[in-house]
Amino acid sequence: MELEQLRMFVSAAESGSFSAAGRELYTSHSTVSRAVSALEKELGVRLISRSNRVLGLTAAGELLLEEARELLGKADGLGEKLRSLEGQEARSRTGRNIL
């Protein structure tokens, strides 16, 4: 399971459309659809019900959406924390007191 797959799943689930998710993520709808299908295959469950061009979430999809939002938030937050730490270390190397 890749973070990018989760981002595509979340975008599709929130927008209700592979096309809208593709536009949001600057990629094609088929790329989003393939990523979600691969995620479903890897997890062994249906995440999205596809009918009449409207995407609906299965119970597994609802659970994954909640968990994926949290996980992606943590991943994004981790990058910010690491960059902040690097900045603090750079300031301490220059002799400036951080605290």
Side-chain angles (χ1 to χ4, degrees):
M1 182 181 330
E2 303 289 330
L3 289 178
E4 193 60 27
Q5 286 177 305
L6 291 177
R7 286 186 206 288
M8 290 185 190
F9 167 74
V10 168
S11 182
E14 290 178 343
S15 68
S17 163
F18 290 126
S19 295
R23 285 189 299 274
E24 178 183 316
L25 299 170
Y26 301 101
T27 191
S28 69
H29 72 280
S30 59
T31 298
V32 176
S33 179
R34 281 193 304 271
V36 172
S37 293
L39 190 56
E40 289 175 321
K41 185 176 180 179
E42 181 179 341
L43 297 173
V45 295
R46 290 301 267 170
L47 301 170
I48 293 179
S49 59
R50 298 157 175 87
S51 62
N52 299 331
R53 297 180 161 252
V54 177
L55 301 183
L57 294 179
T58 64
E62 291 283 352
L63 177 60
L64 181 61
L65 179 59
E66 182 180 318
E67 296 292 328
R69 284 176 175 153
E70 185 176 327
L71 182 65
L72 291 170
K74 286 183 178 185
D76 293 341
L78 178 59
E80 292 172 21
K81 287 178 183 178
L82 293 172
R83 285 185 294 279
S84 175
L85 178 62
E86 187 174 80
Q88 290 174 4
E89 288 176 348
R91 285 190 296 277
S92 68
R93 284 192 299 267
T94 62
R96 292 173 50 193
N97 189 351
I98 310 168
L99 303 173

